[in-house]
Coordinates of all heavy atoms in Angstrom, one line a residue:
L688 N 242.8 153.7 160.9 CA 242.0 153.3 159.8 C 242.3 154.1 158.5 O 242.0 153.6 157.4 CB 240.5 153.5 160.1 CG 240.0 152.6 161.3 CD1 238.5 152.9 161.6 CD2 240.2 151.1 161.0
G689 N 242.9 155.3 158.6 CA 243.2 156.1 157.4 C 244.0 155.3 156.4 O 243.7 155.3 155.2
P690 N 245.1 154.7 156.8 CA 246.0 154.0 155.8 C 245.2 152.9 155.1 O 245.5 152.7 153.9 CB 247.1 153.4 156.7 CG 247.2 154.3 157.9 CD 245.8 154.7 158.1
I691 N 244.3 152.2 155.7 CA 243.6 151.1 155.1 C 242.7 151.7 154.0 O 242.6 151.2 152.9 CB 242.7 150.4 156.1 CG1 243.6 149.7 157.2 CG2 241.9 149.3 155.4 CD1 242.8 149.1 158.3
A692 N 242.1 152.9 154.2 CA 241.2 153.5 153.2 C 242.1 153.9 152.0 O 241.7 153.7 150.9 CB 240.5 154.7 153.8
G693 N 243.2 154.5 152.3 CA 244.1 154.9 151.2 C 244.6 153.8 150.3 O 244.6 153.8 149.1
I694 N 244.9 152.7 151.0 CA 245.4 151.5 150.3 C 244.3 150.9 149.4 O 244.5 150.5 148.3 CB 245.9 150.4 151.3 CG1 247.2 150.9 152.0 CG2 246.2 149.1 150.7 CD1 247.6 150.2 153.2
M695 N 243.1 150.8 150.0 CA 242.0 150.2 149.2 C 241.7 151.0 147.9 O 241.5 150.4 146.9 CB 240.7 150.2 150.1 CG 240.8 149.2 151.2 SD 239.3 149.3 152.3 CE 238.0 148.8 151.2
V696 N 241.7 152.3 148.0 CA 241.4 153.2 146.9 C 242.5 153.0 145.8 O 242.2 152.8 144.6 CB 241.2 154.6 147.3 CG1 241.2 155.5 146.1 CG2 240.0 154.8 148.1
V697 N 243.7 153.1 146.2 CA 244.9 153.0 145.3 C 244.9 151.6 144.6 O 245.1 151.5 143.4 CB 246.2 153.2 146.0 CG1 247.4 152.9 145.1 CG2 246.3 154.7 146.4
D698 N 244.7 150.5 145.4 CA 244.7 149.2 144.9 C 243.6 149.0 143.8 O 243.9 148.5 142.7 CB 244.5 148.1 146.0 CG 244.5 146.7 145.5 OD1 245.6 146.2 145.2 OD2 243.4 146.1 145.4
Y699 N 242.4 149.4 144.1 CA 241.3 149.2 143.1 C 241.4 150.0 141.9 O 241.3 149.6 140.8 CB 240.0 149.3 143.8 CG 238.8 149.0 142.9 CD1 238.5 147.7 142.5 CD2 238.0 150.0 142.5 CE1 237.5 147.4 141.6 CE2 236.9 149.8 141.6 CZ 236.7 148.5 141.2 OH 235.6 148.2 140.4
F700 N 241.7 151.3 142.1 CA 241.6 152.3 141.0 C 242.9 152.4 140.2 O 242.9 152.6 139.0 CB 241.1 153.6 141.4 CG 239.7 153.7 141.8 CD1 239.2 153.5 143.1 CD2 238.7 153.9 140.8 CE1 237.9 153.5 143.4 CE2 237.4 153.9 141.1 CZ 237.0 153.7 142.4
L701 N 244.0 152.3 140.9 CA 245.3 152.6 140.2 C 246.1 151.3 139.9 O 246.7 151.2 138.8 CB 246.2 153.5 141.1 CG 245.6 154.9 141.4 CD1 246.6 155.7 142.1 CD2 245.2 155.6 140.1
I702 N 246.1 150.3 140.8 CA 246.8 149.1 140.6 C 246.0 148.1 139.8 O 246.5 147.6 138.8 CB 247.3 148.5 141.9 CG1 248.1 149.5 142.7 CG2 248.1 147.2 141.7 CD1 249.3 150.0 142.0
K703 N 244.8 147.8 140.2 CA 244.0 146.8 139.5 C 243.1 147.4 138.4 O 242.5 146.6 137.7 CB 243.0 146.1 140.6 CG 243.7 145.4 141.7 CD 244.7 144.4 141.3 CE 245.2 143.5 142.4 NZ 245.7 144.2 143.6
K704 N 243.1 148.7 138.3 CA 242.4 149.4 137.2 C 240.9 149.0 137.1 O 240.3 148.8 136.1 CB 243.0 149.1 135.8 CG 244.5 149.3 135.7 CD 244.9 150.7 135.8 CE 246.4 150.9 135.5 NZ 246.9 152.3 135.7
Q705 N 240.3 148.8 138.3 CA 238.9 148.4 138.5 C 238.6 147.1 137.9 O 237.4 146.8 137.6 CB 238.0 149.5 137.9 CG 238.2 150.9 138.4 CD 237.2 151.9 137.9 OE1 236.0 151.7 138.1 NE2 237.7 152.9 137.3
Q706 N 239.6 146.2 137.8 CA 239.4 144.9 137.3 C 239.9 143.8 138.3 O 241.0 143.8 138.7 CB 240.2 144.6 136.0 CG 239.8 145.6 134.9 CD 238.4 145.5 134.4 OE1 237.9 144.4 134.3 NE2 237.7 146.6 134.2
L707 N 238.9 143.1 138.9 CA 239.2 142.0 139.9 C 238.9 140.7 139.3 O 237.9 140.5 138.5 CB 238.4 142.3 141.2 CG 238.7 143.6 141.9 CD1 237.7 143.7 143.1 CD2 240.1 143.7 142.4
D708 N 239.6 139.7 139.7 CA 239.3 138.3 139.4 C 238.2 137.8 140.4 O 238.6 137.5 141.6 CB 240.5 137.4 139.4 CG 240.2 136.0 138.9 OD1 239.1 135.5 139.2 OD2 241.1 135.4 138.3
L709 N 237.0 137.9 140.1 CA 235.9 137.6 141.1 C 236.0 136.2 141.7 O 235.9 136.1 142.9 CB 234.5 137.9 140.4 CG 233.3 137.8 141.3 CD1 233.5 138.8 142.5 CD2 232.1 138.2 140.5
A710 N 236.1 135.2 140.8 CA 236.2 133.9 141.4 C 237.5 133.7 142.2 O 237.6 133.0 143.2 CB 236.2 132.8 140.2
G711 N 238.6 134.4 141.7 CA 239.9 134.2 142.3 C 239.9 134.8 143.8 O 240.7 134.4 144.6
L712 N 239.1 135.7 144.1 CA 239.0 136.3 145.4 C 238.5 135.2 146.4 O 238.6 135.4 147.6 CB 238.0 137.5 145.4 CG 238.6 138.8 144.7 CD1 237.5 139.8 144.6 CD2 239.7 139.4 145.5
Y713 N 237.9 134.2 145.9 CA 237.4 133.1 146.8 C 238.2 131.8 146.8 O 237.8 130.8 147.3 CB 235.9 132.8 146.4 CG 235.0 133.9 146.7 CD1 234.7 134.9 145.8 CD2 234.3 134.1 148.0 CE1 233.9 136.0 146.1 CE2 233.5 135.1 148.3 CZ 233.3 136.1 147.3 OH 232.4 137.1 147.6
R714 N 239.4 131.9 146.1 CA 240.2 130.7 146.0 C 241.6 131.1 146.5 O 241.9 132.3 146.9 CB 240.3 130.2 144.5 CG 239.0 129.9 143.9 CD 239.2 129.0 142.7 NE 240.2 129.5 141.7 CZ 239.9 130.1 140.6 NH1 238.6 130.3 140.3 NH2 240.8 130.6 139.8
D715 N 242.5 130.2 146.5 CA 243.9 130.4 147.0 C 244.9 130.4 145.9 O 246.1 130.5 146.2 CB 244.3 129.3 148.0 CG 243.5 129.4 149.3 OD1 243.2 130.5 149.7 OD2 243.2 128.3 149.9
D716 N 244.5 130.4 144.6 CA 245.5 130.3 143.5 C 245.6 131.5 142.6 O 246.4 131.5 141.6 CB 245.1 129.1 142.7 CG 243.7 129.2 142.0 OD1 243.0 130.1 142.5 OD2 243.4 128.4 141.1
V717 N 245.0 132.6 143.0 CA 245.1 133.8 142.2 C 245.8 135.0 142.9 O 246.8 135.5 142.5 CB 243.7 134.3 141.7 CG1 243.8 135.6 140.9 CG2 243.1 133.2 140.8
Y718 N 245.3 135.3 144.1 CA 245.9 136.4 144.9 C 246.8 135.7 146.0 O 246.5 134.6 146.4 CB 244.7 137.2 145.6 CG 243.9 138.0 144.5 CD1 242.7 137.4 144.0 CD2 244.3 139.2 144.1 CE1 242.0 138.1 143.1 CE2 243.5 139.9 143.2 CZ 242.4 139.4 142.7 OH 241.6 140.0 141.7
P719 N 247.8 136.5 146.4 CA 248.7 135.9 147.4 C 248.0 135.7 148.8 O 247.0 136.4 149.0 CB 249.8 136.9 147.5 CG 249.2 138.2 147.1 CD 248.2 137.8 146.0
A720 N 248.5 134.8 149.6 CA 248.0 134.6 150.9 C 248.2 135.9 151.7 O 247.3 136.3 152.5 CB 248.6 133.4 151.6
W721 N 249.4 136.5 151.6 CA 249.7 137.7 152.3 C 250.4 138.7 151.3 O 251.3 138.3 150.7 CB 250.8 137.4 153.4 CG 250.3 136.5 154.5 CD1 250.3 135.1 154.4 CD2 249.6 136.8 155.7 NE1 249.8 134.5 155.5 CE2 249.3 135.6 156.4 CE3 249.3 138.0 156.4 CZ2 248.7 135.5 157.6 CZ3 248.7 137.9 157.6 CH2 248.4 136.7 158.2
N722 N 249.8 139.8 151.2 CA 250.3 140.9 150.3 C 251.1 141.8 151.2 O 250.6 142.7 151.8 CB 249.2 141.6 149.6 CG 249.7 142.6 148.6 OD1 251.0 142.8 148.4 ND2 248.8 143.3 147.9
W723 N 252.4 141.7 151.2 CA 253.3 142.4 152.1 C 253.4 143.9 151.7 O 253.7 144.7 152.6 CB 254.7 141.8 152.2 CG 254.6 140.4 152.8 CD1 254.8 139.2 152.1 CD2 254.3 140.1 154.1 NE1 254.6 138.2 153.0 CE2 254.3 138.7 154.2 CE3 253.9 140.9 155.2 CZ2 254.0 138.0 155.4 CZ3 253.7 140.2 156.4 CH2 253.7 138.8 156.5
A724 N 253.1 144.2 150.5 CA 253.0 145.7 150.1 C 251.9 146.4 150.9 O 252.1 147.5 151.4 CB 252.7 145.8 148.6
G725 N 250.8 145.7 151.1 CA 249.7 146.2 151.8 C 250.1 146.4 153.3 O 249.7 147.5 153.9
F726 N 250.8 145.4 153.9 CA 251.1 145.5 155.3 C 252.2 146.6 155.5 O 252.2 147.3 156.5 CB 251.6 144.2 155.8 CG 250.4 143.3 156.1 CD1 250.0 142.3 155.1 CD2 249.7 143.3 157.3 CE1 248.9 141.5 155.4 CE2 248.6 142.5 157.5 CZ 248.2 141.6 156.6
L727 N 253.1 146.7 154.6 CA 254.2 147.8 154.8 C 253.5 149.2 154.6 O 253.8 150.1 155.4 CB 255.2 147.6 153.7 CG 256.3 146.5 154.0 CD1 257.1 146.3 152.7 CD2 257.1 146.8 155.2
A728 N 252.6 149.3 153.7 CA 251.9 150.6 153.5 C 251.0 150.9 154.7 O 250.8 152.1 155.0 CB 251.1 150.6 152.2
F729 N 250.5 149.9 155.3 CA 249.7 150.1 156.5 C 250.6 150.4 157.7 O 250.3 151.3 158.6 CB 248.8 148.9 156.8 CG 248.1 149.0 158.1 CD1 247.1 149.9 158.3 CD2 248.4 148.0 159.1 CE1 246.4 150.0 159.5 CE2 247.7 148.0 160.3 CZ 246.7 149.0 160.5
G730 N 251.7 149.6 157.9 CA 252.5 149.7 159.1 C 253.3 151.0 159.2 O 253.4 151.5 160.4
V731 N 253.8 151.5 158.2 CA 254.6 152.7 158.3 C 253.9 153.9 158.8 O 254.3 154.5 159.8 CB 255.3 153.1 156.9 CG1 255.9 154.4 156.9 CG2 256.3 152.0 156.5
P732 N 252.7 154.2 158.3 CA 251.9 155.4 158.9 C 251.5 155.1 160.3 O 251.5 156.0 161.1 CB 250.7 155.5 158.0 CG 251.0 154.8 156.7 CD 252.0 153.7 157.1
V733 N 251.2 153.9 160.7 CA 250.8 153.6 162.0 C 251.9 153.8 163.0 O 251.8 154.4 164.1 CB 250.2 152.1 162.1 CG1 250.1 151.7 163.6 CG2 248.9 152.0 161.4
V734 N 253.1 153.3 162.6 CA 254.3 153.5 163.5 C 254.7 154.9 163.6 O 255.0 155.4 164.7 CB 255.5 152.7 162.9 CG1 256.8 153.1 163.6 CG2 255.3 151.2 163.0
L735 N 254.6 155.7 162.5 CA 254.9 157.1 162.6 C 253.8 157.8 163.5 O 254.2 158.8 164.2 CB 254.9 157.7 161.2 CG 256.0 157.3 160.3 CD1 255.9 157.9 158.9 CD2 257.4 157.8 160.9
T736 N 252.6 157.4 163.4 CA 251.6 158.0 164.2 C 251.9 157.8 165.7 O 251.8 158.7 166.5 CB 250.2 157.4 163.9 OG1 249.9 157.7 162.5 CG2 249.1 158.0 164.8
L737 N 252.3 156.5 166.1 CA 252.6 156.2 167.4 C 253.8 157.0 167.9 O 253.9 157.5 169.0 CB 252.8 154.7 167.6 CG 251.6 153.8 167.3 CD1 251.9 152.4 167.4 CD2 250.5 154.1 168.3
L738 N 254.8 157.1 167.0 CA 256.0 157.8 167.4 C 255.7 159.3 167.6 O 256.3 160.0 168.4 CB 257.1 157.7 166.3 CG 257.7 156.3 166.2 CD1 258.7 156.2 165.1 CD2 258.5 155.9 167.5
S739 N 254.8 159.9 166.8 CA 254.5 161.3 166.9 C 253.8 161.7 168.2 O 253.8 162.8 168.6 CB 253.6 161.7 165.7 OG 252.3 161.1 165.8
L740 N 253.3 160.7 168.9 CA 252.6 160.9 170.2 C 253.7 161.4 171.2 O 253.3 162.2 172.1 CB 252.0 159.7 170.8 CG 250.7 159.2 170.1 CD1 250.2 157.9 170.6 CD2 249.6 160.3 170.3
G741 N 254.9 161.0 171.1 CA 255.9 161.4 172.0 C 256.8 162.6 171.5 O 257.8 162.9 172.1
S742 N 256.4 163.2 170.4 CA 257.2 164.3 169.9 C 256.3 165.5 169.6 O 255.3 165.5 168.9 CB 257.8 163.9 168.5 OG 258.4 165.0 167.8

Side-chain angles (χ1 to χ4, degrees):
L688 298 177
I691 301 175
I694 291 165
M695 290 173 66
V696 170
V697 169
D698 180 72
Y699 182 69
F700 286 95
L701 300 182
I702 303 302
K703 302 302 192 310
K704 310 290 187 185
Q705 301 185 60
Q706 301 298 319
L707 299 175
D708 186 324
L709 187 54
L712 289 169
Y713 292 90
R714 304 198 309 259
D715 291 325
D716 58 347
V717 176
Y718 295 92
W721 299 84
N722 184 0
W723 295 109
F726 282 96
L727 285 171
F729 171 66
V731 171
V733 169
V734 169
L735 290 176
T736 299
L737 295 175
L738 291 176
S739 68
L740 287 172
S742 169

